[in-house]
Amino acid sequence: MTDELLDSADGWERYECGTYYWDEGHYGRIYVSQKMVDKYKLKECLDPLDGEWFASRIFMGSDEEDLEELQSKYTHEIYIRHCRGFSKDGDSKNQSQLTPHGDIGSEEFVAWYNDFPLELLSETNEDDVYIEGWIDSYPPIERKGLV
């Protein structure tokens, strides 16, 4: 299903099907190898694990050794954003958990919202995909690599 982004501001994004309200309290990361970048033709959703990434994570208080270990295995990071609600008519008082792309806590929705293929979540080799901090207010995904 295509659903074009029409407008956005701090705290929300309006698509053709309705408005999504950000959940700024929940986020996660998926680290991927170059093999996964090539396999799934990932582009738009990626941040390279380069010097700028390293410096910003150190600034945020991450452990240097942990970051170096991530850089030794993975080439890119997908920052996972979550939503707290959806409104078909754009009225924030009419928010629902159900969207045209699935429940806002579902893997299907999160993959669509963050522009990565759902199949990426089925990869089982931790040397290629590592999921860090999915979200704590929804049922966890039981899969190797989920913290």
Side-chain angles (χ1 to χ4, degrees):
M1 169 191 292
T2 60
D3 198 359
E4 297 293 321
L5 177 65
L6 303 175
D7 194 14
S8 67
D10 192 28
W12 58 268
E13 292 176 321
R14 186 167 51 91
Y15 285 79
E16 291 173 338
C17 69
T19 302
Y20 296 89
Y21 300 91
W22 303 342
D23 182 348
E24 296 176 11
H26 296 100
Y27 62 91
R29 293 180 174 89
I30 302 174
Y31 296 98
V32 295
S33 68
Q34 188 62 47
K35 178 180 171 184
M36 294 295 105
V37 172
D38 296 341
K39 178 178 179 178
Y40 291 106
K41 298 176 178 47
L42 301 171
K43 293 180 185 168
E44 299 301 320
C45 60
L46 297 174
D47 290 318
L49 301 189
D50 58 12
E52 185 178 324
W53 170 86
F54 192 88
S56 70
R57 294 294 296 274
I58 290 292
F59 179 77
M60 292 186 291
S62 295
D63 181 75
E64 189 170 333
E65 287 180 23
D66 291 343
L67 297 177
E68 288 171 350
E69 183 178 344
L70 287 170
Q71 281 184 312
S72 72
K73 284 183 162 182
Y74 310 106
T75 58
H76 292 83
E77 170 189 85
I78 300 171
Y79 181 81
I80 307 170
R81 301 175 305 137
H82 292 283
C83 287
R84 61 180 165 80
F86 167 78
S87 171
K88 189 170 183 160
D89 63 8
D91 184 347
S92 63
K93 295 176 185 165
N94 295 331
Q95 290 186 43
S96 166
Q97 302 293 299
L98 189 58
T99 79
H101 302 280
D103 182 90
I104 62 171
S106 71
E107 293 178 18
E108 293 81 8
F109 173 78
V110 174
W112 170 81
Y113 191 62
N114 290 281
D115 198 29
F116 64 83
L118 179 61
E119 298 78 23
L120 180 67
L121 299 177
S122 298
E123 293 290 342
T124 57
N125 186 343
E126 195 173 322
D127 289 336
D128 289 322
V129 177
Y130 177 72
I131 301 170
E132 177 186 78
W134 182 258
I135 186 167
D136 59 16
S137 63
Y138 294 105
I141 307 171
E142 294 192 22
R143 135 177 339 101
K144 189 168 129 182
L146 179 64
V147 176

